[in-house]
């Protein structure tokens, strides 16, 4: 399995080691193992690792269809996974809708301030005024006891069945670009129509995430399937990298989150 590392970035090696460790446990104990919630990049790495094993499989589930963050169940091929195996609880966040508003950022910030790691809860769902939260079911008691306010807003968590989840699938609006290189500052500059200097400043200031992790190096090399989040500008995805133009520029297909 050593050859697997060459396909990924050095900062991803620790995660590869973690998945290899879980997979070896499944192989040795012949029982399924569950991960925390994974982002799409981590799921891709997990699938790649599991692909090297003949008798081990992986399934992903995030509580709702098309969830961005999902748990992985790594299991021996004899096993038939069910939804219950993923141990996910859904909470409706009750709050005085008429008098105040909640935001994704406020909810996320409050959860993190309770000492909860990002990987133990999944998507934060919203259909306008209603907000819901998906979390590892082992955390349900802690969460209901600890989460009484989001910002200054009094809230109450009400556990509900996964079938009651509200969800709007992610839609990417595609556009073609030509870029001089795959450097992060170059991609950001072209995607958001800002100067290269401005893009570089955003990167150095820690305002840009690549695949859900902050990157502060402007010459970081982007790749196909990377998702780039820029604070105040939104999120883009490198859907495809193509050939080169006559002026030796790289053709890329980029998606803007609608």
């Amino acid at each position: 399995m050593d050859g697997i590392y060459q396909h990924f970035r050095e900062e991803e090696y620790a995660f590869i080691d973690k998945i290899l460790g879980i997979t070896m446990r499944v192989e040795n104990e012949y029982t399924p193992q569950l991960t925390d919630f994974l982002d799409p990049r981590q799921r891709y790495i997990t699938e790649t690792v599991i692909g090297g094993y003949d008798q081990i499989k992986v399934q992903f589930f995030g509580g709702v269809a098309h969830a961005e963050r999902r748990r992985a169940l790594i299991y021996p091929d004899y096993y038939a996974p069910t939804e219950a195996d993923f141990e996910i609880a859904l909470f409706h966040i009750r709050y005085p809708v008429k008098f105040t508003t909640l935001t994704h950022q406020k909810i996320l910030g409050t959860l993190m301030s309770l000492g909860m790691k990002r990987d133990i809860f999944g998507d934060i769902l919203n259909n306008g005024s209603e907000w819901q939260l998906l979390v590892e079911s082992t955390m349900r008691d802690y969460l209901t006891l600890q989460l009484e306010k989001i910002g200054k807003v009094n809230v109450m968590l009400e556990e509900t069945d996964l079938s009651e989840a509200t969800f709007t699938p992610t839609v990417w609006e595609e556009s073609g670009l030509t870029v001089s290189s795959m450097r992060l500052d170059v991609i950001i500059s072209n995607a958001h129509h800002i100067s290269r200097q401005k893009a570089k400043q955003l990167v150095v200031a820690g305002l840009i995430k690549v695949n859900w992790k902050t990157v502060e190096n402007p010459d970081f090399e982007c790749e196909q399937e990377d998702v780039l989040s820029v604070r105040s500008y939104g999120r883009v995805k490198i859907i495809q990298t193509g050939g080169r133009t006559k002026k030796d520029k790289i053709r890329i297909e980029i998606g803007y989150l609608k």
Side-chain angles (χ1 to χ4, degrees), residues 93-96 100 102 148-156:
I93 303 172
R94 299 289 181 196
Y95 71 103
T100 188
L102 293 180
E148 296 176 339
K149 281 180 180 286
I150 293 174
K152 294 179 180 177
V153 181
N154 289 318
V155 299
M156 188 181 79

Side-chain angles (χ1 to χ4, degrees), residues 12-29:
E12 295 172 324
Y13 291 176
F15 180 74
I16 295 170
D17 290 341
K18 184 178 178 181
I19 296 300
L20 281 169
I22 294 170
T23 307
M24 285 167 68
R25 207 176 314 142
V26 174
E27 194 174 42
N28 294 334
E29 299 174 12

Side-chain angles (χ1 to χ4, degrees), residues 167-232:
F167 190 70
T168 307
T170 303
V171 179
W172 298 98
E173 194 171 277
E174 295 187 25
S175 178
L177 292 177
T178 57
V179 293
S180 58
S181 79
M182 295 299 289
R183 281 174 55 119
L184 180 57
D185 58 349
V186 172
I187 302 288
I188 295 300
S189 168
N190 282 271
H192 293 293
H193 310 293
I194 58 177
S195 71
R196 177 89 172 270
Q197 188 58 33
K198 172 71 173 172
K200 194 174 282 190
Q201 286 169 357
L202 290 170
V203 179
V204 173
L207 301 178
I208 294 178
K209 289 185 178 181
V210 180
N211 300 327
W212 298 270
K213 292 185 177 58
T214 302
V215 174
E216 297 177 1
N217 178 8
D219 60 8
F220 178 91
E221 283 287 313
C222 296
E223 296 174 3
Q224 190 167 302
E225 293 296 316
D226 280 350
V227 175
L228 319 178
S229 301
V230 187
R231 195 177 301 172
S232 303

